[in-house]
Every structure is written in structure tokens, then in C-alpha cells.
């Protein structure tokens, strides 16, 4: 779901900047028609025991056994490095055949990518979950093939809620009341609001959607300083920040990883989380309740805002001309059993209808099914806009100031919107 979406990024010191998994050189075997495909993929594990290497070793070996004329060479990069390093490769004329990472649209805008239609059968292209296929498309053409995904729900510590005598909130006012009751019982972080630079754009979008706002309007244009968004951050500031219902760390300095760690220590009453955190909490014996994000009271408690969905993208570069071989490999990797295997390793959601409906290899954990339900109606970041990488970084580094007690939410959002307009012009 770093940057981040999912999983912890393994450091270069642990796994190395490049980690070849199989194959060497540019040909496989001695035949003139033999081909080696190069895939650069993000590392989803947080150390050798959870490294993605095991999965890609298995895929590479199994695929080559079935297709003796094609080898696959996979290199793993930390999440913190992969976008930058793949961009460098492309700029230097050394694009890999495929990449699995957090964004694709800038390469699509440059005409560097094969479309899904050029790689996959009609049936396979139609198998992606609708919100993911929409986010992976520029115009009506699918370039970013969704690989694994996640969605967000509001988590609450059941034991702390019982101690405070409150129930799961459905509206903002109920969330505020619950946070006050938790604070009165000595809970360190009644509501954990991570608006630090690690992943502030996720938390911000969750809140904006709960007030009918968001990052883009119905036409797909950025609407970062829309009235609904300004109202959202003004409410957070006046009703959660000023009364001291968020804990000891200012939101602009509080990162998602720190919020999750506090939740696993039993110090957080409520926060927005995704499947892997739910599994970690259960492993520690923490009882967790989950609900959709509470809405502005003006919308009514019966309203259900779309969840925030996050996906990672497989893309295929044209440079080396291996369209047919890439298509064969992707057909193999996207088989239900293989996609479900990868998703299951990291408590993520498979990106296809068939794998999510009847996943081979054991199916979805019962706790994950609610996230899949949320994902089907989720709203994703505007990743199909080439300027999104720049815009999301601007949001991450500035949105926390919108809830500063002495700050001006409208001024902060208008400043972010102006930088987004500048970034859009450059693309």
C-alpha cells in the first residue's frame, strides 16, 4: 500500500542496491532467438527472511522451465530508490523490459510503455478490478498494470474503547467525542493523525473524502484547495488539534510508521490502517475493530465515503522490443495462483477479479475480505496524471501545516494547489 503504500522498504544495506535473482547477460542459452527479460521490482520485505527474492526466484525458474528460450533477470530495489533509479535507467537509454513500482504515468506520457492491449489477451485485460484499471489508464488506454493493492479503514483498539465507554464512531462529532473520552482515560494518542512527510497524502485524502472532497474533481482536474477540503482541515484543527486530542507529537512531524508502532504498543485509540497492520496487531493480542471513515455530520451518518485505495504498478517498456516475450511472462505472473501467492506473503490484495474472488493457494484471509470490499468502491490517487509524483511530494511535505494551531488551512491548501498547477504545466 511507503512512499508508502505497502510493506516495509528493505534498506540497500541489507539487500544491496541491485539484487540479481536469475540469469546473466542479454541472451538465454546459445540460440539466436533466446532472450533474457530484465525486471526491476520494488522490495516488499523488510529483511532477508521476508524478501521478495523467494517469490521472484520461483517465478523465474518456473517460467523458464515452461519457456526454455526465455530467461528472466530480476533486480530488487528499495522503495526509497526505485522510482529514481528506474527513471535514470530510462533516461540513459537502458530501460528494463519491465518494472514494478509505485508510478507509471510519466513513462506513459513519454511514449515509453507498451499498452495492456499490446501485451495481454482481452480476457486478461478485462480481469483487473475496475478502480485499479481506471487508475492505471491514461485516457482509455491501460498502461499501468495493477499488481497488488490495498485499501484503508479506520481501526480502533477495542479494549481502550471499552475502557472509555464509547462505540465505533460514524460521524466526525462521534469521533471527537470518542477521542475526548479516550484522552480522559489517559490514552496517549486518542486519534493518531500522521501528517508527516512519509505518507501524509494518504491520511489527508482519507479525511477529504469523508467530507465529499478529494484531490481531483469529476473532470479529473486537481481540486486541492476546494472549499470542502479547506473545511475539512479547519475542522481537524479546531476540533482535534486545539483540544489536544491527537497526542504529544504535532501532526506535521508524525509519520505513519511511528503511528503504526504506537498502535502496536497499545497507545493509540484510533487510526487509519491497512491489512498488514491488522495482522500484526492480532499477532500481539490487540483486539481491533474496523469501520469506514466517519463522515462530516452534515453529510449524515448513513453516508459511506469511498475508501482510499492504493496500488503498485507493473509496466512494460518498449525500448528492447521484447513485446511478445514480456506478454508471455506477464500472462504467467498474473495467473491466480501466482498473484495470490505474492499478495498473501505481504497481506495485500490481488489486483484481478478472478484472484480476489476465488484465489488459488488458500484464498483471502477473512480479515482481508473487508479491505477487498472497500477496494471495489475505492478512490485511488490520481496516479495517471504525469505530475502526480511531484504533486504528492508537495502534499506530503506541506499538508501538516494546514492543521497547525497558528496556521491558516486555506492558505496552506492554496499554496499546494499553486505548486500543483506549476507541476502540471511542466508535464
Amino acid at each position: 500500500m511507503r512512499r508508502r503504500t505497502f510493506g516495509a522498504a528493505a534498506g540497500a544495506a541489507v539487500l544491496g542496491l541491485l539484487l540479481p535473482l536469475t540469469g546473466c547477460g542479454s541472451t538465454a542459452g546459445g540460440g539466436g532467438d533466446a532472450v533474457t527479460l530484465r525486471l526491476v521490482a520494488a522490495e516488499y520485505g523488510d529483511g532477508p527472511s521476508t524478501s521478495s527474492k523467494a517469490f521472484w526466484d520461483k517465478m523465474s525458474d518456473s517460467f523458464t522451465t515452461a519457456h526454455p528460450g526465455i530467461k528472466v533477470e530480476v533486480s530488487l530495489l528499495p522503495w526509497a530508490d526505485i522510482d529514481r533509479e528506474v527513471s535514470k535507467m530510462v533516461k540513459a537509454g537502458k530501460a528494463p523490459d519491465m518494472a514494478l513500482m509505485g508510478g507509471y504515468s510519466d513513462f506513459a506520457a513519454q511514449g515509453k510503455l507498451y499498452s495492456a492491449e499490446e501485451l495481454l489477451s482481452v480476457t486478461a485485460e478485462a480481469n483487473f478490478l475496475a478502480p485499479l484499471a481506471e487508475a492505471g489508464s491514461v485516457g482509455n488506454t491501460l498502461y499501468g498494470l495493477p499488481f497488488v493493492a490495498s485499501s484503508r479503514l479506520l481501526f480502533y483498539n477495542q479494549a481502550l474503547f471499552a475502557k472509555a465507554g464509547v462505540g465505533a464512531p460514524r460521524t466526525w462529532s462521534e469521533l471527537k467525542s470518542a477521542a475526548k473520552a479516550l484522552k480522559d482515560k489517559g490514552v496517549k494518542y486518542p486519534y493518531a493523525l500522521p501528517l508527516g512527510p512519509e505518507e501524509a497524502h494518504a491520511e489527508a485524502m482519507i479525511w477529504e473524502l469523508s467530507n465529499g472532497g478529494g484531490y481531483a474533481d469529476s473532470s479529473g482536474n486537481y481540486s486541492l484547495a476546494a472549499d470542502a477540503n479547506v473545511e475539512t482541515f479547519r475542522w481537524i484543527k479546531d476540533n482535534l488539534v486545539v483540544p489536544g486530542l491527537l497526542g504529544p507529537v504535532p501532526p506535521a512531524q508524525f509519520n505513519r510508521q511511528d503511528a503504526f508502532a504506537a498502535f502496536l504498543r497499545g497507545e493509540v485509540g484510533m487510526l487509519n490502517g491497512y491489512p498488514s497492520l491488522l495482522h500484526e496487531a492480532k499477532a500481539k493480542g490487540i483486539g481491533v475493530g474496523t469501520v469506514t471513515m466517519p463522515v462530516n455530520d452534515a453529510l449524515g451518518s448513513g453516508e459511506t465515503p469511498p475508501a482510499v485505495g492504493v496500488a503498485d504498478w507493473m509496466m512494460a517498456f518498449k525500448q528492447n522490443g521484447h513485446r511478445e516475450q514480456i506478454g508471455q511472462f506477464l500472462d504467467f505472473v498474473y495467473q491466480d495462483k501466482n498473484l495470490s501467492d505474492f499478495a498473501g506473503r505481504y497481506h495485500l490484495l490481488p489486483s484481478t477479479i478472478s484472484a480476489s474472488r476465488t484465489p488459488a493457494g488458500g484464498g483471502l484471509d477473512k480479515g482481508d475480505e473487508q479491505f477487498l470490499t472497500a477496494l471495489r468502491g475505492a478512490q485511488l490517487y490520481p496516479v495517471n496524471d504525469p505530475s502526480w509524483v511531484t504533486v504528492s511530494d508537495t502534499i506530503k511535505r506541506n499538508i501538516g501545516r494546514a492543521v497547525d494551531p497558528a496556521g491558516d488551512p486555506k492558505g496552506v491548501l492554496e499554496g499546494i494547489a499553486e505548486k500543483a498547477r506549476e507541476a502540471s504545466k511542466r508535464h
Side-chain angles (χ1 to χ4, degrees), residues 6 45 49 62 70 129 175 194 257 284 299 307 368:
F6 336 105
S49 65
S62 299
I70 310 172
L129 291 165
L175 185 149
Q257 185 175 1
K284 290 182 175 292
L299 299 181
D368 293 341

Side-chain angles (χ1 to χ4, degrees), residues 15-84:
L15 293 165
L17 186 61
L18 288 174
L19 182 59
L21 303 187
T22 186
C24 55
S26 58
T27 60
D33 295 329
V35 168
T36 292
L37 299 177
R38 293 175 53 238
L39 165 64
V40 178
E43 170 60 79
Y44 284 71
D46 57 7
S49 65
T50 59
S51 173
S52 306
K53 181 180 186 300
F55 174 82
W56 291 115
D57 276 346
K58 178 181 176 183
M59 290 300 98
S60 301
D61 292 344
S62 299
F63 177 75
T64 298
T65 298
H67 301 81
I70 310 172
K71 287 189 176 181
V72 183
E73 178 184 284
V74 184
S75 299
L76 299 180
L77 289 174
W79 278 109
D81 300 331
I82 189 165
D83 287 5
R84 179 179 64 254

Side-chain angles (χ1 to χ4, degrees), residues 247-400:
V249 182
Q253 300 172 27
F254 198 35
N255 281 318
R256 178 202 52 81
Q257 185 175 1
D258 299 325
F260 281 16
F263 187 79
L264 295 174
R265 293 194 300 267
E267 298 174 351
V268 174
M270 298 172 277
L271 54 57
N272 285 298
Y274 45 72
S276 60
L277 178 63
L278 183 62
H279 286 271
E280 290 181 69
K282 287 182 176 179
K284 290 182 175 292
I286 298 174
V288 180
T290 57
V291 292
T292 56
M293 181 65 187
V295 298
N296 185 338
D297 295 63
L299 299 181
S301 60
E303 288 291 317
T304 301
V308 167
V310 186
D312 292 329
W313 309 97
M314 183 74 78
M315 66 211 73
F317 290 89
K318 295 178 178 179
Q319 181 178 308
N320 302 314
H322 295 151
R323 182 182 64 82
E324 181 179 353
Q325 295 88 347
I326 293 171
Q328 290 175 313
F329 181 67
L330 293 179
D331 278 339
F332 180 78
V333 171
Y334 276 93
Q335 290 177 16
D336 288 354
K337 63 180 180 180
N338 296 329
L339 195 58
S340 296
D341 178 6
F342 189 89
R345 289 170 187 252
Y346 302 104
H347 297 299
L348 299 171
L349 303 174
S351 60
T352 63
I353 297 169
S354 58
S356 59
R357 184 178 292 154
T358 54
L364 288 181
D365 180 280
K366 286 187 178 297
D368 293 341
E369 291 176 359
Q370 60 189 323
F371 293 96
L372 177 61
T373 298
L375 181 64
R376 289 192 177 109
Q379 190 167 131
L380 279 76
Y381 306 130
V383 291
N384 45 13
D385 189 310
S387 67
W388 172 243
V389 172
T390 301
V391 173
S392 63
D393 186 66
T394 301
I395 295 170
K396 287 188 288 187
R397 298 185 185 283
N398 293 279
I399 197 67

Side-chain angles (χ1 to χ4, degrees), residues 47-206:
S49 65
T50 59
S51 173
S52 306
K53 181 180 186 300
F55 174 82
W56 291 115
D57 276 346
K58 178 181 176 183
M59 290 300 98
S60 301
D61 292 344
S62 299
F63 177 75
T64 298
T65 298
H67 301 81
I70 310 172
K71 287 189 176 181
V72 183
E73 178 184 284
V74 184
S75 299
L76 299 180
L77 289 174
W79 278 109
D81 300 331
I82 189 165
D83 287 5
R84 179 179 64 254
E85 293 301 322
V86 171
S87 294
K88 285 182 181 178
M89 294 175 195
V90 173
K91 188 173 290 187
K94 299 179 180 179
D97 295 287
M98 297 163 285
L100 172 59
M101 50 196 280
Y104 71 90
S105 58
D106 48 347
F107 301 125
Q110 297 170 42
K112 303 286 188 181
L113 301 180
Y114 288 118
S115 67
E117 185 178 6
E118 295 174 289
L119 300 167
L120 305 175
S121 67
V122 173
T123 303
E125 184 178 356
N127 195 26
F128 293 114
L129 291 165
L132 305 183
E134 182 179 349
S137 298
V138 176
N140 295 316
T141 303
L142 181 64
Y143 290 103
L145 310 184
F147 191 64
V148 285
S150 185
S151 61
R152 305 296 174 93
L153 293 171
L154 183 73
F155 288 19
Y156 62 93
N157 183 309
Q158 291 174 325
L160 296 180
F161 263 57
K163 183 179 178 181
V166 292
R170 297 169 299 168
T171 64
W172 285 1
S173 64
E174 290 179 0
L175 185 149
K176 178 183 178 180
S177 295
K180 185 177 186 306
L182 290 162
K183 181 183 180 182
D184 290 344
K185 291 296 182 180
V187 175
K188 188 173 182 179
Y189 297 95
Y191 180 90
L193 184 74
L195 292 180
E198 180 190 354
E199 203 187 27
H201 61 307
E203 184 73 15
M205 185 172 170
I206 290 168

